[in-house]
Amino acid sequence: SDLMRNQSRSLFLVTSLERYLETILAGDASLREMHMLSASRLLRLQARLEGFDIPLWKLSVTQKIAVSWLCEFTALLQAADTTQSNILWLDFDVFLQSPTQQLVQAAHFFGHDLDEEDAHAIIRGPIMASYSKAPEHQYSPDLRRQLLGQARSNHGESIRTTVEWVEELANTYPLVAKAMELTTED
């Protein structure tokens, strides 16, 4: 909320818990980063969820990933509740299904004229073929689908049980329920 001025526009790019779990489990660097940030994210989440006092050492790897997702998603929800900003919520997987249309929509939301032809030219460029955190690495939507499928295949049971664990938390914590509601895949 500190970054959002009153009456400003913000885009909140989100993903479902299940997709986030798959994404983190698909990459060694992502897992290392998650482990480095788990303690601070758990503390931040505990500050938002009164009574959520599970120690870090009791959490499975997938639960730690879920805590990371919950920490950051609840931060977005709190920012949305404490600002008068106009927010466009965009699911990253929805963006990948129709990137040209989603880019046009986002541009219009921010008051920029962008027609489909120009948006399509942007999408055809290098931006959709490289990894966002390290653009020198190739990472297309097709490679992402392949890696997520592999993570789903390798970790399906732990992903499922962790999603169920978070769904149980949603029965106690309204912020968790809202996060799950906003990202439930149809």
Side-chain angles (χ1 to χ4, degrees), residues 112-162:
H112 300 287
D113 279 334
L114 180 66
D115 61 35
E116 285 205 18
E117 185 178 321
D118 289 339
H120 191 64
I122 292 168
I123 298 302
R124 282 193 319 257
I127 196 168
M128 294 293 286
S130 63
Y131 183 61
S132 62
K133 291 183 180 179
E136 66 276 10
H137 295 291
Q138 294 295 311
Y139 194 77
S140 67
D142 287 335
L143 176 58
R144 179 178 182 268
R145 270 190 292 280
Q146 180 184 13
L147 292 172
L148 295 179
Q150 188 175 22
R152 199 168 28 260
S153 175
N154 293 342
H155 305 282
E157 180 63 21
S158 59
I159 290 170
R160 185 187 61 73
T161 57
T162 298

Side-chain angles (χ1 to χ4, degrees), residues 75-143:
L76 293 177
L77 290 170
Q78 282 192 326
D81 284 346
T82 60
T83 184
Q84 294 180 11
S85 284
N86 190 358
I87 299 167
L88 173 63
W89 292 84
L90 178 58
D91 184 295
F92 187 61
D93 287 298
V94 171
F95 173 80
L96 289 178
Q97 290 170 9
S98 57
T100 299
Q101 292 78 15
Q102 297 299 316
L103 186 57
V104 167
Q105 178 186 357
H108 289 171
F109 175 77
F110 286 106
H112 300 287
D113 279 334
L114 180 66
D115 61 35
E116 285 205 18
E117 185 178 321
D118 289 339
H120 191 64
I122 292 168
I123 298 302
R124 282 193 319 257
I127 196 168
M128 294 293 286
S130 63
Y131 183 61
S132 62
K133 291 183 180 179
E136 66 276 10
H137 295 291
Q138 294 295 311
Y139 194 77
S140 67
D142 287 335
L143 176 58

